Amino acid sequence: MPAFDLDSFVGRSRAVDLAAIDWADISRHPVPPEALRALRYMQDIESHTIIYLRSLLATRAIDDPEVATFLACWVYEETFHGIAIARFLEAAGAPVGPRPTPRGQESLGKRLEAAATAMVSKAWPDFCAVHMTWGAINELTTLTGYRRLAQVSPHPVLADLLDRIVLDESRHFFFYYRQAEIRMQRRAPARIARILVDRFWAPVGSGVQPDEELRFLATYLFAGPEGRAAARKVDDTIRRLPGFETVQLLEAWMDRHLDAHGSPASGGGRNGDRDH
Ligand SMILES: [Fe+2]
Ligand SMILES: [Fe+2]
């Protein structure tokens, strides 16, 4: 994989171009209710980024100047994804309502990415390797999710918006992945990152969104043969990171949580949050 060019990333970092989207055209094409439900989930996660950042800043995440510079641009871009999706939902007649839970009230388990690793980071200087790996998995899952949404819910304006967002997510993924690859050349960080991912990883939004919504989204985007193939591709890409050759991620999560027809598995199964 080529090197990540931080200067060019910073130079190109900008908000998704809201003026370029044909908002007026949205209501002229039907948006399936499932797409609206998926978008509500995604909008919530995107706008949650700033809350995640609050916890992240209490860790060693910004000790590295390159990571600090990246994060400044990253949070800006993610915030605009949330704004753009909210605007789409509004134009589609399904505006985002008030949040049921005040932000920042999530339990320790529910804020795993930040909270659990924050404890580790105080004692362990290679925290960045975990953070970068976590970021790579989440960005890749997110961008794959957006691509799948465009495939399963064809809509001209949605396709345009998702294309733009996917471009940003790809750049984010590339940064995290390259960083993870470099930092995990050493055995110790690779081992600890793997242990933490094995123990704590759950799909983006776990603990922030209700379990029911997460299972709906996983089914809608990843249950069919094409969805399965996309999920496998995510897993295979992460397996190329040092020490991650046998990691079980998206597909294994789906096997645990959804039955053979893609419906939520009975009995609830293992949950990324209830466990911790
Ligand atoms: Fe995003
Ligand atoms: Fe992203």
Side-chain angles (χ1 to χ4, degrees):
M1 198 175 264
F4 182 91
D5 184 344
L6 186 64
D7 287 342
S8 114
F9 171 78
V10 171
R12 287 166 54 197
S13 175
R14 50 185 54 89
V16 70
D17 189 357
L18 298 177
I21 309 282
D22 191 353
W23 304 105
D25 198 34
I26 292 174
S27 59
R28 294 189 197 111
H29 309 268
V31 187
E34 293 84 1
L36 295 175
R37 191 171 168 187
L39 284 167
R40 270 196 295 274
Y41 183 104
M42 291 160 155
Q43 198 280 332
D44 190 66
I45 302 311
E46 294 285 6
S47 62
H48 191 264
T49 308
I50 192 86
I51 308 294
Y52 174 39
L53 185 69
R54 175 174 60 193
S55 308
L56 201 56
L57 293 181
T59 70
R60 287 174 179 262
I62 53 168
D63 285 5
D64 181 307
E66 283 196 6
V67 172
T69 302
F70 167 80
L71 286 176
C73 298
W74 169 80
V75 73
Y76 174 69
E77 293 182 10
E78 300 291 20
T79 301
F80 268 88
H81 296 167
I83 291 170
I85 298 173
R87 192 156 164 194
F88 183 95
L89 284 165
E90 196 178 338
V96 177
R99 314 270 173 207
T101 315
R103 294 311 180 91
Q105 301 303 308
E106 303 94 336
S107 72
L108 177 74
K110 288 181 176 176
R111 289 195 288 135
L112 156 81
E113 294 108 314
T117 46
M119 290 167 6
V120 174
S121 79
K122 291 201 178 76
W124 180 51
D126 284 322
F127 163 74
C128 241
V130 181
H131 171 208
M132 294 298 111
T133 307
W134 206 271
I137 300 170
N138 282 0
E139 294 289 348
L140 186 57
T141 312
T142 304
L143 88 85
T144 306
Y146 282 132
R147 279 197 185 125
R148 286 291 302 147
L149 179 61
Q151 285 164 1
V152 297
S153 307
H155 181 288
V157 185
L158 182 61
D160 179 33
L161 175 61
L162 293 177
D163 268 357
R164 292 167 191 273
I165 294 179
V166 162
L167 211 64
D168 290 347
E169 308 297 15
S170 312
R171 289 154 60 240
H172 300 165
F173 164 70
F174 186 31
F175 175 83
Y176 282 117
Y177 194 84
R178 272 303 284 152
Q179 286 280 334
E181 213 171 34
I182 293 163
R183 288 165 193 273
M184 295 200 298
Q185 293 302 325
R186 287 175 44 235
R187 239 179 88 82
R191 248 194 72 233
I192 297 179
R194 175 65 193 273
I195 290 168
L196 289 175
V197 167
D198 283 351
R199 176 73 186 91
F200 291 112
W201 182 83
V204 188
S206 303
V208 176
Q209 281 281 302
D211 294 350
E212 193 190 337
E213 293 307 296
L214 175 57
R215 285 196 295 269
F216 157 76
L217 195 71
T219 306
Y220 186 50
L221 300 181
F222 296 114
E226 284 174 26
R228 272 277 166 171
R232 192 166 307 142
K233 206 169 152 200
V234 169
D235 293 353
D236 286 345
T237 305
I238 300 302
R239 286 185 188 126
R240 289 201 284 274
L241 286 173
F244 277 69
E245 296 79 3
T246 55
V247 75
Q248 298 294 315
L249 295 170
L250 210 47
E251 259 203 299
W253 185 92
M254 290 179 57
D255 288 340
R256 282 200 306 274
H257 291 266
L258 309 175
D259 70 18
H261 310 289
S263 306
S266 55
R270 200 178 86 96
N271 177 274
D273 302 304
R274 263 178 257 141
D275 272 358
H276 323 304

